[in-house]
Amino acid sequence: MTTLIERLKSAADKRARFLRTRDEIARMPLDVALDLNIYPGDASRIAYEAVYGRA
């Protein structure tokens, strides 16, 4: 059984990973993003799926 503190740590870690991933995608140079077939406007959705899984 996970404790409340462990769940809070896990949630904080996931949130930090989400924000870091979202920011990296959003700051990616446009030419690189297009080469990877990524639209920078979808940074939040892509980061969410990468960290939390499909919505």
Side-chain angles (χ1 to χ4, degrees):
M1 183 170 138
T2 59
T3 66
L4 176 62
I5 293 174
E6 289 171 342
R7 289 189 308 206
L8 290 172
K9 283 182 183 179
S10 176
D13 177 59
K14 285 183 180 181
R15 181 68 178 172
R17 287 188 291 142
F18 164 76
L19 292 173
R20 190 173 339 122
T21 303
R22 183 200 64 192
D23 292 346
E24 287 179 11
I25 293 169
R27 285 192 307 257
M28 186 181 299
L30 185 58
D31 61 330
V32 174
L34 293 176
D35 285 346
L36 296 173
N37 202 24
I38 294 174
Y39 173 61
D42 289 338
S44 291
R45 181 187 56 80
I46 294 167
Y48 184 90
E49 289 178 5
V51 174
Y52 297 105
R54 286 254 178 219

